[in-house]
Amino acid sequence: MNSSSTSSETFHRRVTAAGILIATGIVFGDIGTSPLYTLNAVFHNRLITADIALGSLSAIFWTLTFQTTLKYVIITLQADNKGEGGIFSLYALIRRFSGKWLLFPAMAGGAFLMADGIITPPISVASAVEGLQGLYPHMKTEGLVIGILVVLFLFQQFGTERIGKVFGPVMVLWFTFIGVLGVMALKDSPGILRALNPWYAYEMLRQAPGGFWLLGSIFLCTTGAEALYSDMGHTGRNNIRVSWVYVKITLILSYAGQTAWLLQHQGQTVGIISPFYQIVPSAIYVPAVVIATMATIIASQALISGCFTLINEAIRLDIWPRHRVLFPSNIKGQIYIPFANWMLMAGSIFMVLYFRESTRMEAAYGLSITLTMLMSTVLINFYLASKKVNFLIVTLVTGLFPAIELSFLTANFRKIRDGGWITLLIGAGLIAIMFIWNRGKAMKRSLISLVRIDDYTDLLKRLSADTNIPKYSTNLAYLTASGSARKVEKTAIDSILSRFPKRADIYWFLHVNVVDEPYALTYSTDCLCPNDVYFITFNFGFRIEPRLDYYFAEVIKDLIRSGEVNLSDREERHYQQSKTGDFRFLLMEPFLSFENDLAFGKRFIMRSYFNLRYISVKESVNFGLDRSNVTVENYPIIVSPAVHPPITREK
């Protein structure tokens, strides 16, 4: 067992007070603020009745039990990929055991979770801020909600380790607060807890008018469960499991307290204030709004950080364009992706401007996450099978969870016309991006061949010594994705030899390897031809800025000091101030050649793929190269060569 897997297992087994605090602050924000809007959504434009109130509480309890506790906290959290969680990590665990078709449910699940990540921050914050309408009924809250969201997204760059330390105590306060409120509301009617009997949920679904369709609103109580899995790499499995015990108790108490209020107001409507705020004593109403707003800021954090993890995993799987991935803390699971952050912020602001208020957002909320949960169930089934888990458990997962999630999905279909189409449209667009990038990169990769450097070292040595050819650079460096010191891309060799030969004193092929240790900074050298051809492997820790320009120059100095490289016989050394001479990085950029005769489908994928490259980070930026030392050379990609008619000479 390698050290990275051992360290991740230790990380997930460990339970500490700090870890529980950070888990409470990061992981449970979304699901922890669901009492603000779930029952409000159930009774929106509906008269309060006892059967629906008790049935909703029963359905909420068993939804949290089956979906959150059993499926995610107990089963799914067991599936970590080198410490990371999320649907893409789950796919990476099982793809070698199953068919390639599983990539499609993985892409769909990830895309719809990211789509839900766009609407989670606005609905969470809006549902809390709208509590102010209990004091100021005609108050417009959109501007305040947008301001809070902007601050939230600006704060992401400081990392979830710091956020967890700040937010953890607030969320502990929040869960304690909603639990105490629930107990206070229950003190005169503790018999309401009888609704934990699943019979009440069954009776509501069977007898209440439109009872089945209420599942679309009841589902909101568990919408943060998938983000819980995505955030596993940030806090550790066991810290999440221990925290969940307390979190679930307080959630049920809050829902039970709201149900007590509902039963006291049968035949009425909820009004403009949600049942949550209805049970808040007037003496602490303003502090309750403040605490709720702070909690919903943290709720948004859970899914935002989960989306960062998802996109990072998608980049590794070659189903998403490469972006800059930053590590603002010493824990590898805690990452920050600027592109994703600003994309989510723009989408969240659009949702606020479009829907205006949380009751309208509820109509669109949760539809796409049901699809994500259904896709994760498919993958979990294959994961359990690959681990040779007991047949009865696999059967339980295969039968129980799809039945529950298909019921929720069917009930959520009514949300499509009320705004759910937006999240479905966003999810479909993200799936298209993933599919195009994956197929386009696979087609491009199939056309790039690796060649043995040994077959060219003699020729490169003669070229380096041929003074009849003008010198291109003292040190000519190519970045290579090849992990083998004996092979490089043929495009690199063609760049040197196919056109006007590029003469250099030394040819360098550089491979960058990002390792799990935060501050690792080592290199290894393979001398393929002394003083002519070298292959260098850089091992950068994930917190090291890969400033290849600087570190490559340091490597050359080291090799000169050790006598492994000799650059003292250069004629230009008398004029250059640097003992290492000049160096040039030559980056190879592909383009789609006009010499292609592609069918419509392939042409659409390849053109779209090359267009998507515009939003991905450039290699020069990704590796911290000084533009004055970089030359970009384009080479054509020919997928299907065009057949031209012969040309004849006129007589």
Side-chain angles (χ1 to χ4, degrees), residues 121-122 125-126 129 141-153 345 348-354 356 361:
V125 175
V129 171
T141 60
E142 298 97 312
L144 181 57
V145 172
I146 290 175
I148 291 172
L149 290 175
V150 170
V151 172
L152 170 66
F153 282 102
M345 186 181 78
S348 295
I349 292 174
F350 168 78
M351 291 294 182
V352 176
L353 295 175
Y354 181 82
R356 298 290 178 180
M361 294 180 200

Side-chain angles (χ1 to χ4, degrees), residues 448-485:
I448 297 176
S449 58
L450 297 178
V451 295
R452 289 173 50 83
I453 304 179
D454 292 342
D455 295 340
Y456 298 91
T457 50
D458 289 341
L459 187 58
L460 293 175
K461 184 177 182 178
R462 292 203 308 273
L463 173 60
S464 178
D466 191 343
T467 57
N468 293 320
I469 297 176
K471 184 179 291 188
Y472 186 81
S473 178
T474 302
N475 301 283
L476 182 56
Y478 287 85
L479 299 183
T480 175
S482 171
S484 169

Side-chain angles (χ1 to χ4, degrees), residues 62-304:
W62 289 105
T63 298
L64 289 174
T65 299
F66 284 117
Q67 287 299 109
T68 310
T69 305
L70 182 58
K71 179 184 174 181
Y72 284 99
V73 175
I74 294 177
I75 297 176
T76 308
L77 285 186
Q78 202 61 36
D80 72 277
N81 185 9
K82 297 180 181 178
E84 294 291 347
I87 195 167
F88 290 138
S89 288
L90 180 57
Y91 166 72
L93 279 174
I94 63 174
R95 59 178 171 173
R96 62 182 177 272
F97 303 112
S98 307
K100 293 182 178 179
W101 69 271
L102 285 178
L103 179 61
F104 294 98
M107 289 192 299
F112 286 120
L113 181 57
M114 283 188 269
D116 227 55
I118 292 175
I119 198 171
T120 292
I123 189 176
S124 299
V125 175
S127 62
V129 171
E130 286 170 3
L132 292 172
Q133 292 175 339
L135 302 174
Y136 310 101
H138 301 293
M139 179 181 180
K140 299 294 183 183
T141 60
E142 298 97 312
L144 181 57
V145 172
I146 290 175
I148 291 172
L149 290 175
V150 170
V151 172
L152 170 66
F153 282 102
L154 287 174
F155 202 65
Q156 295 303 308
Q157 59 195 298
F158 300 111
T160 53
E161 183 180 36
R162 296 185 182 94
I163 291 173
K165 289 177 180 178
V166 174
F167 286 177
V170 176
M171 288 307 296
V172 171
L173 174 63
W174 166 253
F175 288 118
T176 304
F177 177 69
I178 65 174
V180 170
L181 278 181
V183 171
M184 291 170 60
L186 276 172
K187 65 182 179 185
D188 295 327
S189 49
I192 286 173
L193 293 177
R194 70 184 186 276
L196 301 187
N197 185 333
W199 177 259
Y200 288 90
Y202 172 74
E203 283 294 294
M204 179 192 71
L205 297 176
R206 188 173 68 91
Q207 293 187 356
F212 175 80
W213 302 107
L214 292 176
L215 288 177
S217 298
I218 289 168
F219 178 77
L220 298 179
C221 73
T222 190
T223 50
E226 186 69 38
L228 175 154
Y229 178 42
S230 297
D231 283 323
M232 178 174 65
H234 301 225
T235 59
R237 178 192 306 120
N238 282 353
N239 286 322
I240 294 175
R241 285 174 170 169
V242 172
S243 304
W244 173 242
V245 175
Y246 182 66
V247 169
K248 183 179 179 182
I249 291 172
T250 60
L251 288 175
I252 297 305
L253 288 174
S254 178
Y255 284 119
Q258 294 179 51
T259 303
W261 181 88
L262 291 168
L263 291 179
Q264 294 165 9
H265 296 80
Q266 295 182 51
Q268 302 177 27
T269 60
V270 170
I272 63 171
I273 304 301
S274 72
F276 174 83
Y277 282 115
Q278 298 284 10
I279 67 172
V280 176
S282 58
I284 60 170
Y285 192 87
V286 173
V289 173
V290 173
I291 296 172
T293 302
M294 295 174 66
T296 54
I297 291 172
I298 301 166
S300 306
Q301 173 62 46
L303 207 47
I304 292 170

